[in-house]
C-alpha cells in the first residue's frame, strides 16, 4: 500500500505576507532562511529561469508582488483561507493521488504556499503552489487540482530524478527530456482528471483540449510528428533553433501535457492502473513502450 504523507505548509506564505506588509520589520534576509525560499530558487536556477542569487531573486519577487497592490494581496489571503477552510477536501484529494502512484512508495513531503514563480512546481522533494497565480484567483478549486498535479510530481521524481537545462547539449538529450516530460506531466494531468470530471472542474486549458476530441487528436498528431522527427535525427550538438521544440511542447497546446494524459488514459483503460503506475518505477521508455501496446 502507498504510504505518501503530505503536510500543507503555511509558514512560508505567512512570512512572505509579513515581508510584503513591512519589509523593515521582516526583511528579505530573514525570508530566505526558509527552506521553501531555497527550494523555489533551486528550481528557477535548474531550469534557467534566473541567474540571480537567492537574496536578489526573492527581493525581485517580493517587489513585483507588492507592486500589484492591496487587491492582489487580498486575493493571496483569500487563497490561503480557501485552503485552510477546505482541509477535508484536500485530504481526500491527497488520498486519491495514491491511486496513481506505485504501490511501494514510502514518502513524506510538504506542500508549500508561495508567490511570484510559475503556477506550481516540485523542487527538492516538496511541492509548491503560487498563490499569486491569477487562475487561482478566478477559480479557487484549481488550488486543489494543481496541488494534486504537483504532489504527483513529488511521487514521480522520487523514482525518476528531474533534469537540469545544463544537461541539454545534444539531440539525444532533447529526445530524452521530451520523453521524460511527457511521462511526468501526462501522468500528473491524468491524476486529477477523474476528480475534475466528478466536479466539472474543466477551467484549465489542458482539460479543455482533452475534452475536445478534434483538438486532442490534432495535438496528439503534432506531438507524434515532432517525436518521430527527433527519433530520426542523428545525434548532434543542439543549435538554438532546436530549443523551440521545448516551447512547442510546453506552451500553446501544451503538447506533452495533453499527449501524455491521452497516453495515460489509454493505458489505464486497456492495460490497467497497475501497469500504468509501474511505468513510474521503470521510467519514460516503459511508458512509451506500454503506449504502443494500446495500439495493437
Amino acid at each position: 500500500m502507498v504510504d505518501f504523507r503530505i503536510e500543507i505548509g503555511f509558514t512560508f506564505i505567512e512570512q512572505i505576507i509579513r515581508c510584503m506588509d513591512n519589509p523593515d520589520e521582516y526583511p528579505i534576509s530573514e525570508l530566505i532562511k526558509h527552506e521553501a525560499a531555497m527550494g523555489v530558487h533551486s528550481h528557477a536556477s535548474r531550469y534557467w529561469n534566473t541567474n540571480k542569487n537567492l537574496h536578489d531573486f526573492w527581493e525581485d519577487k517580493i517587489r513585483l508582488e507588492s507592486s500589484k497592490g492591496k487587491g492582489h494581496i487580498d486575493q493571496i489571503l483569500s487563497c490561503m483561507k480557501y485552503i485552510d477552510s477546505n482541509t477535508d477536501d484536500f485530504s481526500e484529494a491527497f488520498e486519491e493521488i495514491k491511486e496513481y502512484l506505485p504501490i511501494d512508495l514510502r514518502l513524506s513531503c510538504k506542500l508549500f504556499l508561495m508567490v511570484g514563480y510559475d503556477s506550481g512546481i516540485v523542487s527538492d522533494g516538496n511541492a509548491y503552489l503560487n498563490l499569486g497565480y491569477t487562475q487561482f484567483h478566478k477559480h479557487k478549486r484549481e488550488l486543489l487540482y494543481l496541488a494534486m498535479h504537483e504532489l504527483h510530481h513529488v511521487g514521480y521524481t522520487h523514482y525518476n530524478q528531474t533534469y537540469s537545462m545544463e544537461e541539454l547539449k545534444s539531440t539525444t538529450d532533447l529526445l530524452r527530456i521530451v520523453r521524460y516530460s511527457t511521462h511526468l506531466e501526462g501522468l500528473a494531468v491524468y491524476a486529477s482528471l477523474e476528480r475534475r470530471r466528478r466536479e466539472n472542474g474543466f477551467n484549465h486549458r489542458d482539460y479543455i483540449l482533452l475534452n475536445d476530441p478534434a483538438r486532442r487528436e490534432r495535438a496528439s498528431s503534432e506531438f507524434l510528428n515532432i517525436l518521430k522527427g527527433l527519433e530520426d535525427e542523428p545525434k548532434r550538438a543542439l543549435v538554438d533553433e532546436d530549443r523551440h521544440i521545448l516551447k512547442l511542447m510546453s506552451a500553446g497546446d501544451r503538447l506533452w501535457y495533453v499527449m501524455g494524459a491521452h497516453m495515460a488514459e489509454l493505458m489505464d483503460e486497456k492495460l490497467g492502473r497497475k501497469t500504468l503506475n509501474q511505468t513510474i518505477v521503470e521510467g519514460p521508455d516503459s511508458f512509451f513502450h506500454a503506449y504502443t501496446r494500446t495500439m495493437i
Side-chain angles (χ1 to χ4, degrees):
M1 180 178 290
V2 176
D3 183 7
F4 189 19
R5 303 180 186 187
I6 301 156
E7 175 189 349
I8 301 177
F10 285 90
T11 57
F12 186 52
I13 190 66
E14 289 168 350
Q15 290 178 19
I16 286 172
I17 296 297
R18 286 178 62 193
C19 191
M20 292 168 71
D21 283 345
N22 195 337
D24 292 330
E25 178 184 318
Y26 196 81
I28 297 292
S29 58
E30 289 298 314
L31 181 69
I32 61 175
K33 293 177 182 177
H34 199 290
E35 65 174 310
M38 300 176 207
V40 176
H41 181 258
S42 173
H43 186 282
S45 299
R46 174 180 287 273
Y47 292 104
W48 291 359
N49 292 322
T50 189
N51 58 7
K52 296 181 182 295
N53 63 36
L54 179 63
H55 180 280
D56 292 351
F57 173 83
W58 278 108
E59 185 175 55
D60 280 357
K61 297 302 181 188
I62 297 301
R63 183 189 302 116
L64 178 60
E65 293 298 305
S66 298
S67 72
K68 295 177 182 178
K70 183 178 182 300
H72 182 67
I73 296 174
D74 287 345
Q75 287 285 3
I76 293 169
L77 293 170
S78 179
C79 287
M80 292 171 64
K81 183 177 180 181
Y82 180 86
I83 295 170
D84 193 40
S85 301
N86 290 276
T87 52
D88 287 348
D89 281 0
F90 276 81
S91 294
E92 184 181 271
F94 297 166
E95 286 298 311
E96 287 183 29
I97 296 168
K98 297 177 183 179
E99 299 172 15
Y100 298 87
L101 290 166
I103 197 167
D104 66 347
L105 179 66
R106 305 289 182 270
L107 191 62
S108 297
C109 79
K110 292 181 180 178
L111 173 62
F112 286 117
L113 311 175
M114 51 88 168
V115 299
Y117 182 71
D118 212 311
S119 54
I121 62 169
V122 58
S123 182
D124 301 334
N126 293 306
Y128 298 76
L129 291 181
N130 174 8
L131 302 194
Y133 183 52
T134 305
Q135 182 80 352
F136 294 148
H137 302 169
K138 295 177 181 177
H139 306 288
K140 293 290 193 297
R141 198 62 171 176
E142 286 295 326
L143 289 159
L144 181 143
Y145 300 142
L146 196 62
M148 294 178 72
H149 184 109
E150 298 302 336
L151 287 163
H152 190 277
H153 283 349
V154 173
Y156 181 92
T157 55
H158 178 72
Y159 294 91
N160 302 278
Q161 184 176 354
T162 191
Y163 61 88
S164 165
M165 293 301 289
E166 293 287 347
E167 301 171 24
L168 188 56
K169 300 182 185 301
S170 71
T171 49
T172 303
D173 297 328
L174 181 57
L175 175 60
R176 174 175 55 83
I177 285 171
V178 167
R179 290 167 74 92
Y180 176 96
S181 298
T182 303
H183 194 200
L184 168 78
E185 298 294 357
L187 291 180
V189 170
Y190 186 61
S192 70
L193 180 58
E194 180 56 36
R195 188 175 189 99
R196 286 176 181 270
R197 282 176 173 157
R198 293 200 309 268
E199 300 179 356
N200 195 30
F202 295 126
N203 294 300
H204 193 283
R205 55 184 171 171
D206 293 345
Y207 300 91
I208 293 171
L209 262 72
L210 283 167
N211 284 333
D212 183 328
R215 293 182 70 186
R216 184 196 279 220
E217 177 62 29
R218 188 163 60 247
S220 299
S221 296
E222 185 177 358
F223 175 92
L224 291 172
N225 286 336
I226 293 171
L227 186 69
K228 187 175 189 309
L230 283 174
E231 290 171 341
D232 292 344
E233 183 77 24
K235 182 176 180 179
R236 59 170 173 77
L238 291 181
V239 294
D240 287 343
E241 303 91 83
D242 294 321
R243 299 179 190 276
H244 83 285
I245 289 176
L246 295 178
K247 187 172 183 179
L248 285 174
M249 289 289 178
S250 60
D253 283 349
R254 290 165 59 87
L255 299 179
W256 61 32
Y257 295 87
V258 174
M259 182 59 181
H262 171 71
M263 293 166 69
E265 187 170 36
L266 282 177
M267 278 180 244
D268 199 7
E269 291 173 355
K270 296 189 175 185
L271 306 178
R273 183 68 54 80
K274 183 178 180 181
T275 297
L276 177 63
N277 291 348
Q278 184 62 22
T279 68
I280 298 174
V281 178
E282 297 174 2
D285 289 346
S286 169
F287 181 66
F288 279 83
H289 177 70
Y291 175 65
T292 63
R293 291 167 55 197
T294 69
M295 300 291 101
I296 298 172

